[in-house]
Amino acid sequence: MGFEVLLKGNNFLRLLLGLGVSLRISVISVLISILAGIFLGILMSTDKPVIKLFSKIYLEVVRIMPQMVLLFIVFFGATRILGINISAELSAIIVFSFWGTAEMADLVRGALQSIPITQYESSKALGLNQTQTFVYIIIPQIVRRLIPLSINLITRMIKTTSLVMMIGIVEVLKVGQQIIEANRKVSPNAAFGVFATVFLLYFLACWPISLLSKKLEKKWEI
Amino acid sequence: MSDVLRIENLEKRYEDSIVLDDINITVKKGEVVVIVGPSGCGKSTLLRCLNGLEKIQEGSVVLEDQIVNPVSKNQEKVREKIGMVFQTYDLFPHMTILQNVMLAPLKVKKRNKQDVQTEALELLDRVGLLSKKDKYPRQLSGGQKQRVAIVRALIMHPEVLLLDEITAALDPEMVREVLDVVLSLAKEGRTMVIVTHEMQFAKAVADRVIFLDGGKIIEEGSSKEIFEHPKTDRLKTFLKSFTYDEQ
């Protein structure tokens, strides 16, 4: 079945280290995206035309451009045009944060707008000031609405890190390919075993997050 | 009896259209004032002006000695003395019933938690909802939610309670349970300003009825005067729209 190649030398360890690279890129990008996304999302829910226009263009760019094209632009393009040398991993983090921030901001905007105005009013009517209204009434409801949506975004970001091998980052999928190439003659079936293992590793990385999301959703059912 | 709430020359405009025109109402302590009128006559807007949720262009709303409207900074200080219950209950969905009731006294008045809890439980018991204290709003019926909303306002010990069409979103069989609570509040001498479409209820609860039409006070008087001896044609027409007998 081709699983035996993983037991040769330190192949399995290399695969795990590759997964580590994927997760490092995802975790850093996800953190940046969440923080920047919350900030931008709040800005977007104000009715300033300039911000609206800017965020619309930003969102459209992110939606239309394949992530791989963005990776190429930043990694190959920026180096040429700006004359700065950005490492592949930093390029990946920039692109993933750029993408994640846009989607997160849109989720935050949607969640904010889904809170009926009467929630603000009844809080005001009870004498709560603006800060108290946000801390006790609005933010807890937004967080509850955001959890399932942002978990979906996070798992998508983790999965999409498989693209970064295209700019030369040796992450889990690339390591897998290397192992397959190296063993082409001795174990021709390696492709199945290795890719199946990669699949399993991705699954193990994303599944606990999904479980956590389900648990929180159940706990916080509104 | 002393005046609690004074509304003087109140005017509310949206751009060019006048929504409320030269409204003067004085509410005495312990008085129940009911505002009736056709849809869109401005009665809900008027109520919202009374706790500063709507800005006004002319005139003033004064609670005892504090200005409520025109809205100023530190509005919260005055607002906590004016309880308001809305048509759509607007409980906080992420909190249990007890948490909903206890939030404002704890956070706004910074009262002792033990005292607040004792009082909250008493009030919930009074409206027959003690057993629901750990439920979430989604688990309650409309009538039950509205009774919680009343309790949530009451626990702030408001000087005036504003009720904005609190039965309008309820199924008919739940209207009674909510109105019974309001009637008992009226009996114990709460000062209230009520906007309602329930004419029978208005008749039963009101010390004074105000008929509002086109943003103006058309007629004002005791519930007997308004419902049994209406003077103006507009009020007569309005009252007729609630009866079905051919005349």
Side-chain angles (χ1 to χ4, degrees):
Chain A
M1 293 277 277
F3 287 102
E4 68 284 351
V5 286
L6 292 167
L7 302 172
K8 282 210 301 202
N10 52 3
N11 276 353
F12 190 66
L13 181 69
R14 282 176 59 208
L15 213 50
L16 286 183
L17 289 174
L19 183 71
V21 173
S22 304
L23 290 182
R24 185 167 68 228
I25 294 173
S26 332
V27 168
I28 296 174
S29 313
V30 162
L31 287 179
I32 295 175
S33 303
I34 289 179
L35 293 176
I38 289 175
F39 179 73
L40 185 66
I42 292 171
L43 271 185
M44 278 159 66
S45 27
T46 59
D47 272 338
K48 298 263 180 344
V50 183
I51 296 172
K52 265 193 169 162
L53 181 72
F54 163 78
S55 53
K56 192 162 183 185
I57 294 172
Y58 175 30
L59 272 176
E60 284 305 311
V61 167
V62 173
R63 281 197 188 123
I64 291 165
M65 290 270 252
Q67 276 83 18
M68 200 164 7
V69 178
L70 284 172
L71 277 172
F72 284 169
I73 290 179
V74 172
F75 183 61
F76 299 114
T79 316
R80 279 282 170 186
I81 298 272
L82 304 171
I84 40 169
N85 196 5
I86 309 176
S87 76
E89 203 168 312
L90 182 60
S91 307
I93 289 170
I94 290 173
V95 168
F96 278 71
S97 306
F98 180 75
W99 163 38
T101 301
E103 294 224 13
M104 190 68 199
D106 205 34
L107 296 180
V108 170
R109 182 197 51 76
L112 264 171
Q113 289 177 347
S114 74
I115 307 281
I117 190 152
T118 49
Q119 286 286 308
Y120 294 86
E121 287 182 344
S122 59
S123 170
K124 258 189 188 176
L126 284 170
L128 277 84
N129 63 32
Q130 190 137 358
T131 317
Q132 289 171 327
T133 301
F134 270 94
V135 172
Y136 300 117
I137 311 297
I138 307 303
I139 292 174
Q141 292 189 55
I142 287 178
V143 170
R144 283 160 171 75
R145 279 169 211 221
L146 275 181
I147 291 288
L149 302 167
S150 44
I151 296 282
N152 174 293
L153 174 63
I154 292 169
T155 49
R156 272 193 298 140
M157 282 172 80
I158 294 176
K159 287 185 287 186
T160 316
T161 50
S162 55
L163 289 179
V164 301
M165 72 173 195
M166 301 303 292
I167 55 171
I169 297 176
V170 184
E171 43 66 77
V172 61
L173 194 59
K174 185 71 191 173
V175 175
Q177 280 189 344
Q178 287 172 345
I179 295 172
I180 295 163
E181 300 282 323
N183 296 282
R184 172 144 292 167
K185 292 244 170 67
V186 277
S187 16
N189 287 333
F192 180 78
V194 171
F195 284 138
T197 309
V198 170
F199 163 80
L200 199 69
L201 289 176
Y202 271 116
F203 178 76
L204 289 177
C206 295
W207 192 44
I209 307 176
S210 277
L211 280 184
L212 177 72
S213 155
K214 286 229 175 67
K215 216 174 150 188
L216 289 176
E217 263 183 79
K218 206 155 189 181
K219 187 177 160 202
W220 284 343
E221 200 183 357
I222 293 186
Chain B
M1 280 193 284
S2 59
D3 296 348
V4 177
L5 194 67
R6 277 201 316 279
I7 304 153
E8 282 170 352
N9 308 104
L10 183 149
E11 188 177 313
K12 164 92 191 159
R13 287 187 303 261
Y14 289 121
E15 291 177 5
D16 282 339
S17 65
I18 293 185
V19 186
L20 293 168
D21 189 6
D22 195 25
I23 305 285
N24 291 281
I25 304 171
T26 305
V27 183
K28 293 191 167 60
K29 197 166 173 55
E31 195 179 23
V32 177
V33 174
V34 175
I35 304 171
V36 297
S39 309
C41 71
K43 53 193 191 303
S44 280
T45 310
L46 174 58
L47 210 59
R48 291 162 59 85
C49 291
L50 301 192
N51 75 345
L53 282 179
E54 296 278 347
K55 286 184 177 151
I56 58 175
Q57 275 66 43
E58 299 283 338
S60 63
V61 178
V62 180
L63 178 79
E64 290 172 334
D65 293 322
Q66 287 170 292
I67 296 174
V68 182
N69 218 333
V71 182
S72 61
K73 286 194 176 149
N74 296 329
Q75 186 72 17
E76 300 89 32
K77 286 279 142 233
V78 197
R79 262 207 198 113
E80 61 175 84
K81 296 184 183 171
I82 307 173
M84 183 152 183
V85 181
F86 300 85
Q87 182 178 343
T88 46
Y89 348 115
D90 305 306
L91 298 181
F92 306 127
H94 59 295
M95 295 181 183
T96 64
I97 297 311
L98 190 59
Q99 287 168 336
N100 262 282
V101 174
M102 289 175 64
L103 178 76
L106 288 181
K107 302 301 176 194
V108 178
K109 289 201 161 166
K110 316 255 186 260
R111 285 172 56 193
N112 172 294
K113 190 171 176 184
Q114 229 31 58
D115 297 350
V116 172
Q117 178 152 355
T118 313
E119 191 184 348
L121 296 176
E122 273 170 27
L123 285 168
L124 285 173
D125 193 24
R126 192 185 146 175
V127 298
L129 292 174
L130 188 55
S131 60
K132 305 284 184 195
K133 67 181 167 67
D134 296 319
K135 300 267 187 240
Y136 284 87
R138 63 171 185 278
Q139 297 167 306
L140 268 59
S141 72
Q144 293 170 333
K145 279 189 249 193
Q146 197 58 291
R147 281 182 280 159
V148 174
I150 294 172
V151 166
R152 188 175 67 170
L154 282 179
I155 199 167
M156 290 299 280
H157 307 145
E159 303 284 331
V160 186
L161 198 54
L162 310 176
L163 306 181
D164 185 11
E165 301 198 29
I166 59 168
T167 58
L170 295 179
D171 289 333
E173 72 270 22
M174 290 173 184
V175 169
R176 189 61 198 242
E177 64 188 53
V178 173
L179 295 186
D180 279 345
V181 172
V182 180
L183 269 171
S184 79
L185 292 175
K187 278 201 191 109
E188 69 183 39
R190 292 253 167 207
T191 315
M192 292 192 275
V193 182
I194 301 174
V195 165
T196 186
H197 284 298
E198 302 280 338
M199 290 304 140
Q200 294 304 323
F201 169 65
K203 220 186 245 180
V205 78
D207 293 315
R208 189 146 52 99
V209 181
I210 289 170
F211 173 59
L212 203 67
D213 193 7
K216 282 185 181 161
I217 296 180
I218 305 295
E219 228 179 298
E220 189 176 348
S222 69
S223 69
K224 196 167 182 174
E225 285 168 338
I226 293 289
F227 291 110
E228 286 167 30
H229 309 290
K231 291 194 227 31
T232 56
D233 287 341
R234 274 153 96 178
L235 178 55
K236 282 178 193 156
T237 319
F238 172 70
L239 289 175
K240 241 182 221 154
S241 68
F242 288 90
T243 54
Y244 290 98
D245 37 291
E246 316 256 340
Q247 282 173 351

